[in-house]
Amino acid sequence: MRTSTVRAPGLHAQRGSVACPLTDRKGPFVLRERLRALLVGVVAAGSLATVGLLPTPAAAAHPRADECAPAPNWTSGSSYRAGDVVRYTDGSFHLAKRDNPGYNPVVSTRHWSTLSCDDTAAPAHDDFVVSEAQFDEMFPKRNPFYTYEGLTDAMKAFPKFARTGNDTMRKQEAAAFLANISHETAGLYYIKEVNEDNYPHYCDRERPYGCPAGQDAYYGRGPIQLSWNFNYKTAGDWLGIDLLNDPWKVERDPAVAMMTALWYWNTQNGPGPLTGHDAMVSGAGFGQTIRSINGLLECDGGNPHQVENRVRLYKEYTEILGVPTGPNLSC
């Protein structure tokens, strides 16, 4: 959980929002500097890998291991000056190329470069507990915008996602995340919110930064249907991408879209006490992931049909992965 991020009421709910399937959306993310090093491998249609959009990644620096050893852990929201060295959450080291307010070093390659130290090694991300065949089985009618490769590439910025605990716990978390984004997008079919009448609702003008992209610009987008100007601002700040001024990046780039979903899942608790990640690895159960995403509108009898659909998908996906659901499925 990132202590510097703004805790919003949820992806969809705040005053005046309307509960409606595939319309009331949360709100996460997009990219400023093309996510160079992180997203170089994304080759899905519409991705950053299209000709001319991806700059060549800078060569990694090679300091001695003893120069990296004393580096402090990177903290989102902390100010860093050019020349600072930090240790990222996956154990990798990064050098600040420019002063920055705590941008994610894995994402914002404009501000950070990767350091190769003798005693470090990035974790492998080719062992996701969900295979591509299983992903295809879960989303047989998905939009080509959403790809398995886009998901696994986005996971590189969130090394604890589906990699915490034993094999059962990892698969349960993956199933819980995928069930929730399936519910939000009708099986990864929709890229943006269907009900355009809701679009003007997601601008909170009491925020000091306002809604520079327009009153109706912060509607739900991406796998988690990120919505509200404050969610776009917070997600963009965490990822090092200006989503407040250009929220459309989430619907244009599949890698950015998937990263916003993982950002919310791993760092935001919304109206609940836990993030989606923490709910699954702590044993609190799938029901708490619903609460963190849209609890104000769905939980405690608010919209039982929506809750039932999320639970149905979670049961289906855990069956595909061959693991039990665990307790506390509802909210």
Side-chain angles (χ1 to χ4, degrees), residues 218-248:
Y218 301 99
Y219 51 86
R221 297 178 176 90
I224 203 119
Q225 289 293 281
L226 184 70
S227 53
W228 288 99
N229 57 325
F230 48 79
N231 278 324
Y232 279 90
K233 173 69 164 62
T234 309
D237 287 349
W238 196 92
L239 293 169
I241 300 166
D242 186 4
L243 299 183
L244 182 66
N245 286 288
D246 189 3
W248 296 278

Short mmCIF file of all heavy atoms in Angstrom, two decimals, residues 218-248:
data_model
loop_
_atom_site.label_atom_id
_atom_site.label_comp_id
_atom_site.label_asym_id
_atom_site.label_seq_id
_atom_site.Cartn_x
_atom_site.Cartn_y
_atom_site.Cartn_z
N TYR A 218 -13.19 11.90 -17.23
CA TYR A 218 -12.64 10.94 -16.28
C TYR A 218 -13.55 9.74 -16.05
O TYR A 218 -13.64 9.20 -14.96
CB TYR A 218 -12.33 11.67 -14.97
CG TYR A 218 -11.35 12.79 -15.19
CD1 TYR A 218 -11.78 14.11 -15.31
CD2 TYR A 218 -9.99 12.53 -15.35
CE1 TYR A 218 -10.89 15.13 -15.54
CE2 TYR A 218 -9.08 13.55 -15.58
CZ TYR A 218 -9.54 14.86 -15.69
OH TYR A 218 -8.65 15.87 -15.94
N TYR A 219 -14.19 9.30 -17.10
CA TYR A 219 -15.06 8.13 -17.05
C TYR A 219 -14.22 6.85 -16.95
O TYR A 219 -13.00 6.86 -17.07
CB TYR A 219 -15.94 8.08 -18.29
CG TYR A 219 -15.20 8.21 -19.60
CD1 TYR A 219 -14.65 7.10 -20.24
CD2 TYR A 219 -15.06 9.45 -20.21
CE1 TYR A 219 -13.97 7.22 -21.44
CE2 TYR A 219 -14.39 9.59 -21.43
CZ TYR A 219 -13.85 8.47 -22.03
OH TYR A 219 -13.18 8.59 -23.22
N GLY A 220 -14.90 5.73 -16.70
CA GLY A 220 -14.21 4.47 -16.49
C GLY A 220 -13.50 3.97 -17.73
O GLY A 220 -14.07 3.94 -18.83
N ARG A 221 -12.25 3.55 -17.53
CA ARG A 221 -11.44 3.01 -18.62
C ARG A 221 -10.60 1.84 -18.12
O ARG A 221 -10.22 1.79 -16.95
CB ARG A 221 -10.48 4.07 -19.18
CG ARG A 221 -11.14 5.30 -19.82
CD ARG A 221 -10.04 6.25 -20.27
NE ARG A 221 -10.54 7.42 -20.98
CZ ARG A 221 -10.88 8.56 -20.40
NH1 ARG A 221 -10.79 8.67 -19.08
NH2 ARG A 221 -11.31 9.58 -21.11
N GLY A 222 -10.28 0.94 -19.05
CA GLY A 222 -9.36 -0.14 -18.74
C GLY A 222 -9.98 -1.29 -17.99
O GLY A 222 -11.19 -1.30 -17.72
N PRO A 223 -9.17 -2.27 -17.61
CA PRO A 223 -9.69 -3.49 -16.99
C PRO A 223 -10.41 -3.27 -15.67
O PRO A 223 -11.34 -3.99 -15.33
CB PRO A 223 -8.42 -4.33 -16.76
CG PRO A 223 -7.43 -3.80 -17.72
CD PRO A 223 -7.72 -2.34 -17.83
N ILE A 224 -9.99 -2.25 -14.91
CA ILE A 224 -10.63 -2.00 -13.63
C ILE A 224 -11.58 -0.81 -13.72
O ILE A 224 -12.17 -0.39 -12.74
CB ILE A 224 -9.60 -1.80 -12.51
CG1 ILE A 224 -10.18 -2.10 -11.12
CG2 ILE A 224 -9.03 -0.40 -12.52
CD1 ILE A 224 -9.49 -3.21 -10.42
N GLN A 225 -11.73 -0.27 -14.95
CA GLN A 225 -12.60 0.86 -15.21
C GLN A 225 -12.30 2.02 -14.27
O GLN A 225 -13.15 2.53 -13.53
CB GLN A 225 -14.07 0.43 -15.11
CG GLN A 225 -14.52 -0.46 -16.26
CD GLN A 225 -14.55 0.26 -17.59
OE1 GLN A 225 -15.47 1.00 -17.89
NE2 GLN A 225 -13.53 0.05 -18.41
N LEU A 226 -11.06 2.47 -14.32
CA LEU A 226 -10.60 3.60 -13.54
C LEU A 226 -11.44 4.82 -13.84
O LEU A 226 -11.66 5.15 -15.00
CB LEU A 226 -9.13 3.87 -13.88
CG LEU A 226 -8.44 4.96 -13.08
CD1 LEU A 226 -8.23 4.54 -11.64
CD2 LEU A 226 -7.12 5.32 -13.70
N SER A 227 -11.91 5.49 -12.79
CA SER A 227 -12.69 6.70 -12.99
C SER A 227 -12.42 7.69 -11.87
O SER A 227 -11.74 7.36 -10.89
CB SER A 227 -14.18 6.36 -13.06
OG SER A 227 -14.59 5.60 -11.95
N TRP A 228 -12.92 8.90 -12.05
CA TRP A 228 -12.73 10.05 -11.17
C TRP A 228 -11.36 10.71 -11.40
O TRP A 228 -10.35 10.05 -11.54
CB TRP A 228 -12.88 9.70 -9.69
CG TRP A 228 -14.29 9.42 -9.28
CD1 TRP A 228 -14.87 8.19 -9.14
CD2 TRP A 228 -15.30 10.38 -9.00
NE1 TRP A 228 -16.19 8.32 -8.76
CE2 TRP A 228 -16.48 9.67 -8.65
CE3 TRP A 228 -15.34 11.79 -8.96
CZ2 TRP A 228 -17.68 10.30 -8.32
CZ3 TRP A 228 -16.52 12.42 -8.61
CH2 TRP A 228 -17.68 11.68 -8.29
N ASN A 229 -11.39 12.04 -11.42
CA ASN A 229 -10.17 12.80 -11.63
C ASN A 229 -9.11 12.52 -10.57
O ASN A 229 -7.92 12.44 -10.87
CB ASN A 229 -10.48 14.30 -11.68
CG ASN A 229 -11.17 14.83 -10.43
OD1 ASN A 229 -11.99 14.14 -9.81
ND2 ASN A 229 -10.89 16.07 -10.07
N PHE A 230 -9.51 12.31 -9.31
CA PHE A 230 -8.52 12.08 -8.27
C PHE A 230 -7.83 10.74 -8.42
O PHE A 230 -6.66 10.58 -8.06
CB PHE A 230 -9.13 12.21 -6.87
CG PHE A 230 -10.42 11.46 -6.65
CD1 PHE A 230 -10.43 10.11 -6.39
CD2 PHE A 230 -11.62 12.15 -6.68
CE1 PHE A 230 -11.61 9.42 -6.18
CE2 PHE A 230 -12.82 11.47 -6.48
CZ PHE A 230 -12.82 10.10 -6.22
N ASN A 231 -8.53 9.74 -8.96
CA ASN A 231 -7.89 8.45 -9.20
C ASN A 231 -6.90 8.53 -10.37
O ASN A 231 -5.82 7.94 -10.33
CB ASN A 231 -8.93 7.38 -9.47
CG ASN A 231 -9.53 6.82 -8.19
OD1 ASN A 231 -8.84 6.68 -7.19
ND2 ASN A 231 -10.81 6.52 -8.22
N TYR A 232 -7.27 9.26 -11.42
CA TYR A 232 -6.34 9.44 -12.54
C TYR A 232 -5.10 10.20 -12.07
O TYR A 232 -3.97 9.87 -12.45
CB TYR A 232 -7.01 10.18 -13.69
CG TYR A 232 -7.86 9.30 -14.57
CD1 TYR A 232 -9.21 9.09 -14.28
CD2 TYR A 232 -7.32 8.66 -15.67
CE1 TYR A 232 -10.00 8.27 -15.08
CE2 TYR A 232 -8.10 7.84 -16.48
CZ TYR A 232 -9.43 7.64 -16.17
OH TYR A 232 -10.20 6.82 -16.96
N LYS A 233 -5.29 11.21 -11.22
CA LYS A 233 -4.16 11.99 -10.70
C LYS A 233 -3.26 11.11 -9.85
O LYS A 233 -2.02 11.10 -10.03
CB LYS A 233 -4.70 13.15 -9.86
CG LYS A 233 -3.62 13.96 -9.11
CD LYS A 233 -2.75 14.75 -10.04
CE LYS A 233 -1.96 15.84 -9.32
NZ LYS A 233 -1.02 15.32 -8.32
N THR A 234 -3.83 10.36 -8.93
CA THR A 234 -3.03 9.55 -8.02
C THR A 234 -2.31 8.42 -8.75
O THR A 234 -1.14 8.14 -8.51
CB THR A 234 -3.91 8.98 -6.90
OG1 THR A 234 -4.67 10.03 -6.30
CG2 THR A 234 -3.07 8.31 -5.83
N ALA A 235 -3.03 7.75 -9.66
CA ALA A 235 -2.41 6.68 -10.43
C ALA A 235 -1.29 7.21 -11.31
O ALA A 235 -0.21 6.61 -11.39
CB ALA A 235 -3.46 5.99 -11.30
N GLY A 236 -1.55 8.32 -11.96
CA GLY A 236 -0.52 8.90 -12.82
C GLY A 236 0.72 9.30 -12.06
O GLY A 236 1.85 9.09 -12.52
N ASP A 237 0.53 9.88 -10.87
CA ASP A 237 1.68 10.26 -10.05
C ASP A 237 2.49 9.03 -9.65
O ASP A 237 3.72 9.06 -9.66
CB ASP A 237 1.20 11.00 -8.79
CG ASP A 237 0.72 12.40 -9.09
OD1 ASP A 237 0.93 12.89 -10.22
OD2 ASP A 237 0.11 13.02 -8.19
N TRP A 238 1.80 7.96 -9.29
CA TRP A 238 2.51 6.76 -8.85
C TRP A 238 3.28 6.12 -10.01
O TRP A 238 4.40 5.64 -9.83
CB TRP A 238 1.52 5.75 -8.28
CG TRP A 238 2.14 4.67 -7.47
CD1 TRP A 238 2.36 4.65 -6.12
CD2 TRP A 238 2.65 3.41 -7.95
NE1 TRP A 238 2.97 3.48 -5.73
CE2 TRP A 238 3.16 2.70 -6.83
CE3 TRP A 238 2.72 2.81 -9.20
CZ2 TRP A 238 3.72 1.44 -6.94
CZ3 TRP A 238 3.30 1.55 -9.31
CH2 TRP A 238 3.78 0.87 -8.19
N LEU A 239 2.68 6.15 -11.19
CA LEU A 239 3.29 5.51 -12.35
C LEU A 239 4.26 6.43 -13.09
O LEU A 239 4.99 5.98 -13.97
CB LEU A 239 2.20 5.05 -13.33
CG LEU A 239 1.29 3.93 -12.82
CD1 LEU A 239 0.10 3.74 -13.75
CD2 LEU A 239 2.07 2.62 -12.70
N GLY A 240 4.26 7.73 -12.75
CA GLY A 240 5.12 8.66 -13.47
C GLY A 240 4.56 9.01 -14.83
O GLY A 240 5.30 9.23 -15.78
N ILE A 241 3.24 9.07 -14.92
CA ILE A 241 2.54 9.33 -16.18
C ILE A 241 1.50 10.43 -15.93
O ILE A 241 0.85 10.43 -14.90
CB ILE A 241 1.82 8.07 -16.67
CG1 ILE A 241 2.81 6.94 -16.88
CG2 ILE A 241 1.02 8.33 -17.93
CD1 ILE A 241 2.14 5.60 -17.02
N ASP A 242 1.34 11.35 -16.85
CA ASP A 242 0.36 12.42 -16.67
C ASP A 242 -1.01 11.98 -17.17
O ASP A 242 -1.40 12.24 -18.29
CB ASP A 242 0.80 13.68 -17.40
CG ASP A 242 -0.12 14.86 -17.11
OD1 ASP A 242 -1.04 14.70 -16.29
OD2 ASP A 242 0.09 15.93 -17.70
N LEU A 243 -1.75 11.31 -16.30
CA LEU A 243 -3.08 10.86 -16.66
C LEU A 243 -4.15 11.90 -16.35
O LEU A 243 -5.24 11.85 -16.90
CB LEU A 243 -3.42 9.56 -15.92
CG LEU A 243 -2.49 8.39 -16.24
CD1 LEU A 243 -2.96 7.14 -15.50
CD2 LEU A 243 -2.44 8.13 -17.73
N LEU A 244 -3.83 12.86 -15.49
CA LEU A 244 -4.81 13.90 -15.17
C LEU A 244 -5.10 14.74 -16.40
O LEU A 244 -6.25 15.08 -16.68
CB LEU A 244 -4.27 14.78 -14.04
CG LEU A 244 -5.21 15.90 -13.57
CD1 LEU A 244 -6.47 15.32 -12.94
CD2 LEU A 244 -4.50 16.83 -12.60
N ASN A 245 -4.05 15.09 -17.16
CA ASN A 245 -4.24 15.90 -18.36
C ASN A 245 -4.55 15.07 -19.60
O ASN A 245 -5.10 15.60 -20.56
CB ASN A 245 -2.98 16.74 -18.60
CG ASN A 245 -2.87 17.90 -17.63
OD1 ASN A 245 -3.61 18.87 -17.72
ND2 ASN A 245 -1.96 17.78 -16.67
N ASP A 246 -4.20 13.81 -19.58
CA ASP A 246 -4.48 12.95 -20.74
C ASP A 246 -5.00 11.59 -20.27
O ASP A 246 -4.32 10.58 -20.41
CB ASP A 246 -3.23 12.78 -21.59
CG ASP A 246 -3.52 12.07 -22.92
OD1 ASP A 246 -4.71 11.76 -23.19
OD2 ASP A 246 -2.56 11.81 -23.67
N PRO A 247 -6.22 11.54 -19.73
CA PRO A 247 -6.78 10.27 -19.27
C PRO A 247 -7.05 9.30 -20.41
O PRO A 247 -7.18 8.09 -20.18
CB PRO A 247 -8.08 10.68 -18.57
CG PRO A 247 -8.46 11.97 -19.21
CD PRO A 247 -7.16 12.66 -19.51
N TRP A 248 -7.11 9.79 -21.65
CA TRP A 248 -7.41 8.94 -22.80
C TRP A 248 -6.29 7.92 -23.07
O TRP A 248 -6.50 6.94 -23.78
CB TRP A 248 -7.64 9.81 -24.04
CG TRP A 248 -8.84 10.69 -23.89
CD1 TRP A 248 -10.15 10.34 -24.11
CD2 TRP A 248 -8.84 12.05 -23.46
NE1 TRP A 248 -10.97 11.41 -23.84
CE2 TRP A 248 -10.20 12.47 -23.44
CE3 TRP A 248 -7.86 12.94 -23.08
CZ2 TRP A 248 -10.57 13.77 -23.06
CZ3 TRP A 248 -8.22 14.22 -22.71
CH2 TRP A 248 -9.56 14.62 -22.70
#
